[in-house]
Structure formats: structure tokens, C-alpha cells
């Protein structure tokens, strides 16, 4: 839920052996698997889901793939002087130079006199950051951008987005991305930002029209700079994860609902070599997951539950365990406390936390990280109806905590409570959850940052630094124990939320803290930046998929999981 107020509130995958269904849990066991190659593979709806669709034409009237086609991304890196000849071998060209030495650097570029003239003309009209022209004999588009050496990761990504938009390269173009005169560190960072922006901008999103436009082909990128080669495997993995998150979030609610979402995740698990299991409502009742089941009561279809996806690292040695948790409300009406029109309009996005979690899993597994990952996705709808849960009900969560319901539109913390409890029973070394949880976090930060909360306050520096260095910025909020006094209940162990809007993002985190044992490190990301009109940083779409890039930085560079920089293995 993203409430208005605090309370509105491939090489291949094979040998899969289906196991019987028991105790409400369906299991798929993966065989051997390797790196998924570049050939286009699309997650398709299973025959079981096709049967479901024939029985439920209203919910699945639109035809669109549930999973994005895997793009053939090709990135080359070269070390050669920038010349007219090298530019003319490409369909388009981008060059980034030092803004503080603009005139000097421009004269050393191919077509330097022309660039210097264009710069002086533009400077006479105001500040200059981007120049564009068609100077070569074949009139291919060229963009020269001026970047500050002191620019932050976010500023580099935002500039890269503007550059790519200005270039307006044709689909599948061969594009040269180059730097000139930048120091080694800045050169590598700028090329990475340009790569991220190019991939994000050309990632197709779902389109359901009578005449479906042809999906854009990814550009073929050649990187040329003065610094070390960038980690293109990392760039591609993060892009694939972010693309998946944005695609899933964009799908309409009659296409991506609780049944079809589960089928899409099962197909993805088969493709990637993950184990898949599903705790349905029957299984959740056996686990006494009363908080989750309260939310599912009004659903027309009994398809809700918790999906578990399991990635296991290679080798038999003892290794760390990571749990990713995501809120997957496929549509949020607000329940009995019904949302108004404007607040409900985009509530198909309320599953973005789960999309970011599975996108992060995809990125990390493609990188062959040397730790195990369990991804827990809380999938349901929050519907209105005679069986909907109501304010003042008292329900018991899976860890035994009783909860006094205050507002039906605070359903996200209810489903996360039981999902966090169940995930914690596996004793992971770290839990990270993602959720579009509170409107108050948007009020506090706007859609430029996400809120971060943790039961390890000594991690605040690393958490904030990961955001600053990735360009997906977060701000750590306090979680002192005295906030709990606002959630005291005379009839239950805890009040779900308060009747006013004060600090609900903090109170929601304190509420969730009760469902994670203190000995397990936990980070909660409130996705305030999950939806920003016009996009954010390198992502041009409103739904940003925020969190995949951030979490990769947090785990691979800050490495809060292992206490030192993670040396990931590479797949051959």
C-alpha cells in the first residue's frame, strides 16, 4: 500500500522434478543449471494458468507476457585513441569531458573546432552541460557532455539519462561511449553510468494495444575511456533485475494477479534454476499466520500465499544465508477503510516490493554470488467485501503476537509480519525486506530517496553510503524503543498503527521489528522512490525498480552480509 496518509496507510535449465503437493505446499526441485545465455527466452504462462484464464476471462482479458523477453546485450571495451575513424564505425557516439576544462578538452576531440564553436555559442545563452551535432560524413548523431569531476553517482546517472535522451539513437544502434581527459576513477564511473542509462532506457515495458509496437532492440555498446574496464557482467545483471522489477510492476492488475503472479514466478524459477515452493492459505493456517490471512479474507479467489524462491551457491562448504522479503499486494483497495479514487488509481504497484526482491535475486544469482538466498514474496490482494478484516479486530500472527487492527489500509505490515516470521525461522544471516509501505515516508523524503530502517544502528553509515555510491539514495531513520509507546494496546500485544499520520514510516518499522528475532540482522526499505513521475536517476519510467542496484552495492561493496568486500565467483 502506498497510502495517502499514514494510515492509507540459460546455458540451460533442465531436470526439474515436480514433487507432490502436501500440506498445501507445492515444490519444484531443480537439477543442474548454468548461466542463462543471451538468446531471447520469454516466461510463458503454463497450461495450468491457461485453464485458469478460460475460467476467469475478466481477470485475464488482456494478452501480454508475464515476464520480459531476455535481451541480447552486447558490450565491448577497447583502448584506442578517440578519432574520426573510430566514431564513424558506429551509428552514434557519446563523449564525456571534464566540465572544468571544457574548452581545452573540446579542442582535442575529433571535429574539435566545431565543438568549440558550438560550446561558445551555447555558453553565451547560459550554462552548458550537453552539446549535440551531426558532424561526420554520414551525419550520425554525436553528443558531447560536460561532467563535473566531483559529481555524485546520482548526478552521473541523471546526466547519463539526459545524454541518452539527447542522442535519440535508433533501435539496436552501435553506440560508442567514450570519455576524454577524465581521471581514471571518474572515467570508469561515467562509463558505468552511461551503460546503466542506455540499458534502462531501451528496456521495453509491457504494451497492450491493438497494434503492438515492435520492442526496441538493445544498443550494442563500445566503451572507450582512460580508466580501468568496468564490470559489464555486473551492469548487465543489475539491468536484468531492474527490468524485471519494472516490468512486473507495470503489468495491469487483471494480468498480474495472485494466480498469474505465482505462475510467472514458477516459470522464472524453472528458467533460472531456483527451487520454488508456495505456502497457500491452508499451509498458512497450519502456521498460524493470522495477520496474513486477515488480509486475504475478502479476496474473491483463494490464490494468495507466500512464494519462496531458493538460490543455492556452488560448492558444499558452509556459507552465509541471505533472505530477501517482498510485499506483493497485487491490488490494494484499502479494504474496509476504502481508498479514494486518486489513492487507488495506481494500486497495482503495491506489489513492487516483491518485484524488487525477485529482481535482486535475479541479479545476484546471475552474478553467481557465493552465498545462499531465499526470497520470500507475500502475494495477495487487499479487497473490499463482507469478509474483509475490520478495525478493532484482534488477530494472532505466526510468532504468537496479537495485533489490534486499527486500519485495513495498513495491510502491508500485516502480511510482512508473518512473512518475516516465517523467513526468520530459517535463521538467515541477514534479512532485507522491500515494501511500498507508507505514505509518510514519501512525505518525509519525496520520491527521490527511500527510507531505510535496521535493528543494527551501527550499520547506518554503510546503509547510507551504499545509496550514495550506487545512486539509489536512501536515508536511515531512527528506530528507538520509545517509539513503541505509540503502539501500545489495551487489548492486544501491539496496535497495528496509530489513528494519525505522525511518523508512520517509523512506527511501521517498529511494528515489523517485533517479527524479526533480535539476533538476526534486518534491513527494511520503505520504497518511497518506487514511483516518481518522469523516472529517477538512470531510470526513465515512473516505476523505478528502485532497490536492485542499491542492494547489489550494499552486498557486493559494503558487504554487510560478510563483514568485508564480497569476492564473487564468475560463471564461465
Amino acid at each position: 500500500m502506498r497510502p495517502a496518509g499514514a494510515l492509507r496507510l540459460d546455458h540451460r535449465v533442465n531436470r526439474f522434478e515436480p514433487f507432490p503437493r502436501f500440506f498445501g505446499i507445492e515444490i519444484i526441485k531443480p537439477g543442474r543449471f548454468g548461466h542463462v545465455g543471451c538468446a531471447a527466452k520469454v516466461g510463458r504462462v503454463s497450461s495450468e494458468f491457461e485453464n485458469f484464464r478460460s475460467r476467469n476471462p475478466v481477470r485475464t482479458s488482456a494478452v501480454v507476457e508475464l515476464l520480459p523477453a531476455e535481451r541480447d546485450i552486447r558490450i565491448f571495451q577497447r583502448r584506442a585513441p578517440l578519432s574520426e575513424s573510430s566514431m564513424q564505425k558506429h551509428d552514434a557516439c557519446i563523449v564525456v569531458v571534464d566540465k572544468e576544462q571544457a574548452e581545452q578538452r573540446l579542442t582535442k576531440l575529433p571535429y574539435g573546432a566545431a565543438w568549440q564553436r558550438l560550446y561558445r555559442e551555447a555558453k553565451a545563452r547560459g550554462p552548458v552541460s550537453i552539446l549535440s551535432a551531426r558532424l561526420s560524413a554520414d551525419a550520425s548523431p554525436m553528443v558531447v557532455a560536460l561532467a563535473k569531476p566531483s559529481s555524485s553517482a546520482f548526478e552521473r546517472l541523471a546526466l547519463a539519462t539526459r545524454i541518452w535522451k539527447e542522442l535519440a539513437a535508433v533501435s539496436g544502434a552501435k553506440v560508442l561511449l567514450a570519455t576524454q581527459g577524465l581521471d581514471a576513477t571518474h572515467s570508469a564511473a561515467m562509463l558505468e553510468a552511461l551503460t546503466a542509462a542506455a540499458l534502462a532506457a531501451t528496456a521495453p515495458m509491457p504494451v497492450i494495444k491493438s497494434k503492438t509496437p515492435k520492442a526496441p532492440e538493445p544498443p550494442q555498446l563500445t566503451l572507450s575511456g582512460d580508466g580501468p574496464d568496468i564490470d559489464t557482467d555486473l551492469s548487465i545483471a543489475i539491468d536484468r533485475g531492474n527490468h524485471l522489477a519494472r516490468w512486473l510492476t507495470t503489468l495491469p492488475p487483471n494480468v498480474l494477479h495472485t494466480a498469474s503472479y505465482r505462475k510467472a514466478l514458477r516459470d522464472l524459477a524453472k528458467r533460472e534454476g531456483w527451487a520454488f515452493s508456495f505456502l497457500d492459505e491452508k499451509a498458512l493456517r497450519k502456521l498460524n499466520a493470522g495477520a496474513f490471512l486477515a488480509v486475504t479474507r475478502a479476496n474473491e479467489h483463494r490464490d494468495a500465499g507466500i512464494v519462496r524462491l531458493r538460490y543455492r551457491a556452488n560448492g558444499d562448504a558452509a556459507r552465509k544465508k541471505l533472505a530477501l522479503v517482498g510485499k506483493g499486494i497485487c491490488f490494494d483497495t484499502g479494504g474496509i477503510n476504502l481508498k479514494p479514487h486518486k489513492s487507488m488509481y495506481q494500486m497495482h504497484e503495491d506489489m513492487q516490493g516483491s518485484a524488487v526482491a525477485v529482481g535482486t535475486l535475479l541479479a545476484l544469482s546471475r552474478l553467481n554470488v557465493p552465498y545462499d538466498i531465499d526470497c520470500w514474496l507475500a502475494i495477495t490482494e487487499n479487497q473490499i467485501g463482507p469478509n474483509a478484516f475490520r478495525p478493532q479486530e484482534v488477530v494472532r500472527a505466526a510468532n504468537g503476537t496479537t495485533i489490534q487492527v486499527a486500519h485495513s489500509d495498513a495491510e502491508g505490515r500485516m502480511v510482512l509480519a508473518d512473512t518475516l516470521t516465517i523467513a526468520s525461522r530459517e535463521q538467515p544471516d541477514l534479512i532485507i525486506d522491500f515494501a511500498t509501505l507508507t505514505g509518510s515516508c514519501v512525505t518525509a523524503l519525496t520520491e527521490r530517496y527511500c527510507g531505510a530502517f535496521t535493528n543494527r544502528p551501527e550499520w547506518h553509515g554503510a546503509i547510507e553510503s551504499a545509496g550514495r555510491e550506487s545512486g539509489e539514495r536512501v536515508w536511515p531513520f531512527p528506530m528507538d524503543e520509545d517509539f513503541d509507546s505509540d503502539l501500545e494496546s489495551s487489548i492486544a500485544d501491539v496496535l497495528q498503527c496509530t489513528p494519525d499520520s505522525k511518523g508512520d514510516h517509523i512506527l511501521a518499522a517498529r511494528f515489523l521489528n517485533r517479527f524479526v528475532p533480535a539476533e538476526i540482522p534486518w534491513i527494511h526499505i520503505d520504497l518511497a522512490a518506487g514511483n516518481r513521475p518522469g523516472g529517477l536517476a538512470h531510470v526513465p519510467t515512473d516505476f523505478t525498480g528502485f532497490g536492485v542496484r542499491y542492494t547489489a552495492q550494499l552486498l557486493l561493496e559494503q558487504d554487510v552480509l560478510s563483514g568485508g568486500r564480497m569476492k564473487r565467483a564468475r560463471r564461465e
Side-chain angles (χ1 to χ4, degrees), residues 170-197:
V170 298
S171 176
K174 295 180 179 179
V175 182
L176 174 63
L177 307 179
T179 64
Q180 182 83 332
L182 300 184
D183 66 74
T185 301
H186 191 201
S187 174
M190 198 67 235
L191 289 177
E192 190 279 328
L194 288 168
T195 301

Coordinates of all heavy atoms in Angstrom, one line a residue, residues 170-197:
V170 N 18.8 5.1 -32.7 CA 17.8 4.2 -33.3 C 17.9 2.9 -32.6 O 19.0 2.5 -32.0 CB 18.0 4.0 -34.8 CG1 17.8 5.4 -35.5 CG2 19.4 3.4 -35.1
S171 N 16.9 2.1 -32.7 CA 16.9 0.8 -32.0 C 18.0 -0.1 -32.6 O 18.2 -0.2 -33.8 CB 15.5 0.1 -32.3 OG 15.5 -1.2 -31.8
G172 N 18.7 -0.7 -31.6 CA 19.8 -1.7 -32.0 C 21.1 -1.0 -32.5 O 21.9 -1.6 -33.1
A173 N 21.2 0.3 -32.3 CA 22.3 1.1 -32.8 C 23.7 0.6 -32.2 O 23.7 0.2 -31.0 CB 22.1 2.6 -32.6
K174 N 24.7 0.8 -33.0 CA 26.1 0.6 -32.4 C 26.5 1.9 -31.9 O 26.7 2.9 -32.6 CB 27.0 0.1 -33.5 CG 26.7 -1.3 -34.1 CD 27.7 -1.7 -35.1 CE 27.4 -3.1 -35.7 NZ 28.4 -3.5 -36.7
V175 N 26.7 2.0 -30.6 CA 27.0 3.3 -29.9 C 28.3 3.3 -29.3 O 28.6 2.3 -28.5 CB 25.9 3.6 -28.9 CG1 26.1 5.0 -28.3 CG2 24.5 3.6 -29.6
L176 N 29.1 4.3 -29.5 CA 30.4 4.4 -28.9 C 30.2 5.3 -27.6 O 29.7 6.5 -27.8 CB 31.4 5.1 -29.8 CG 32.8 5.4 -29.2 CD1 33.5 4.2 -28.7 CD2 33.6 6.2 -30.3
L177 N 30.6 4.8 -26.5 CA 30.6 5.6 -25.2 C 32.0 5.9 -24.9 O 32.8 4.9 -24.6 CB 29.8 4.9 -24.1 CG 28.4 4.3 -24.4 CD1 27.9 3.6 -23.2 CD2 27.5 5.5 -24.9
A178 N 32.4 7.1 -24.8 CA 33.8 7.5 -24.6 C 34.0 8.6 -23.6 O 33.0 9.4 -23.3 CB 34.5 7.8 -25.9
T179 N 35.1 8.6 -22.9 CA 35.5 9.8 -22.1 C 36.8 10.3 -22.6 O 37.6 9.6 -23.2 CB 35.6 9.4 -20.6 OG1 36.7 8.5 -20.5 CG2 34.4 8.8 -20.1
Q180 N 37.0 11.6 -22.4 CA 38.2 12.3 -22.8 C 38.7 13.2 -21.7 O 38.0 14.1 -21.3 CB 37.9 13.1 -24.1 CG 39.1 13.7 -24.7 CD 40.0 12.8 -25.6 OE1 40.0 11.6 -25.4 NE2 40.6 13.3 -26.6
G181 N 40.0 12.9 -21.3 CA 40.6 13.8 -20.3 C 40.1 13.7 -18.9 O 40.4 14.5 -18.0
L182 N 39.3 12.7 -18.6 CA 38.9 12.4 -17.2 C 39.9 11.6 -16.5 O 40.6 10.7 -17.1 CB 37.5 11.7 -17.2 CG 36.3 12.4 -17.8 CD1 35.1 11.6 -17.6 CD2 36.1 13.8 -17.3
D183 N 40.0 11.8 -15.2 CA 40.9 10.9 -14.4 C 40.3 9.5 -14.4 O 39.2 9.3 -14.7 CB 41.1 11.3 -13.0 CG 39.9 11.3 -12.1 OD1 39.5 10.2 -11.8 OD2 39.3 12.4 -11.9
A184 N 41.2 8.5 -14.1 CA 40.8 7.1 -14.3 C 39.5 6.7 -13.5 O 38.6 6.0 -14.1 CB 41.9 6.2 -13.8
T185 N 39.4 7.1 -12.3 CA 38.2 6.8 -11.5 C 37.0 7.4 -12.1 O 35.9 6.7 -12.2 CB 38.4 7.3 -10.0 OG1 39.6 6.6 -9.5 CG2 37.2 6.9 -9.2
H186 N 37.0 8.7 -12.4 CA 35.9 9.4 -12.9 C 35.5 8.8 -14.3 O 34.3 8.7 -14.6 CB 36.2 10.9 -13.0 CG 34.9 11.7 -13.4 ND1 35.0 13.0 -13.9 CD2 33.6 11.5 -13.2 CE1 33.8 13.5 -14.1 NE2 32.9 12.6 -13.7
S187 N 36.5 8.5 -15.1 CA 36.2 7.9 -16.4 C 35.4 6.6 -16.3 O 34.4 6.4 -17.0 CB 37.5 7.6 -17.2 OG 37.3 6.9 -18.4
A188 N 35.9 5.7 -15.4 CA 35.2 4.4 -15.3 C 33.8 4.6 -14.7 O 32.8 4.0 -15.2 CB 36.0 3.5 -14.3
A189 N 33.6 5.5 -13.7 CA 32.3 5.8 -13.2 C 31.4 6.4 -14.2 O 30.2 6.0 -14.2 CB 32.5 6.7 -12.0
M190 N 31.8 7.3 -15.0 CA 31.0 7.9 -16.0 C 30.5 6.8 -17.1 O 29.4 6.8 -17.5 CB 31.7 9.0 -16.7 CG 30.7 10.0 -17.4 SD 29.6 10.9 -16.3 CE 28.0 10.4 -17.1
L191 N 31.5 6.0 -17.5 CA 31.1 4.9 -18.5 C 30.1 3.9 -17.9 O 29.2 3.5 -18.6 CB 32.4 4.2 -18.9 CG 33.3 5.0 -19.8 CD1 34.6 4.2 -20.2 CD2 32.6 5.4 -21.1
E192 N 30.2 3.7 -16.6 CA 29.3 2.8 -16.0 C 27.9 3.4 -15.9 O 26.9 2.8 -16.2 CB 29.7 2.4 -14.5 CG 28.9 1.3 -13.8 CD 27.6 1.8 -13.3 OE1 27.5 3.0 -12.8 OE2 26.6 1.0 -13.3
A193 N 27.8 4.7 -15.6 CA 26.5 5.4 -15.6 C 25.9 5.5 -17.0 O 24.7 5.3 -17.1 CB 26.8 6.8 -15.0
L194 N 26.7 5.7 -18.0 CA 26.2 5.8 -19.4 C 25.7 4.4 -19.8 O 24.6 4.3 -20.4 CB 27.3 6.2 -20.3 CG 27.7 7.7 -20.3 CD1 29.0 7.9 -21.1 CD2 26.6 8.6 -20.8
T195 N 26.4 3.3 -19.4 CA 25.9 2.0 -19.7 C 24.6 1.7 -19.0 O 23.6 1.2 -19.6 CB 27.0 1.0 -19.3 OG1 28.2 1.2 -19.9 CG2 26.5 -0.5 -19.5
A196 N 24.5 2.0 -17.7 CA 23.2 1.8 -17.0 C 22.1 2.6 -17.6 O 21.0 2.0 -17.8 CB 23.4 2.2 -15.5
A197 N 22.3 3.8 -18.0 CA 21.2 4.6 -18.6 C 20.8 4.1 -19.9 O 19.6 4.1 -20.2 CB 21.7 6.1 -18.7

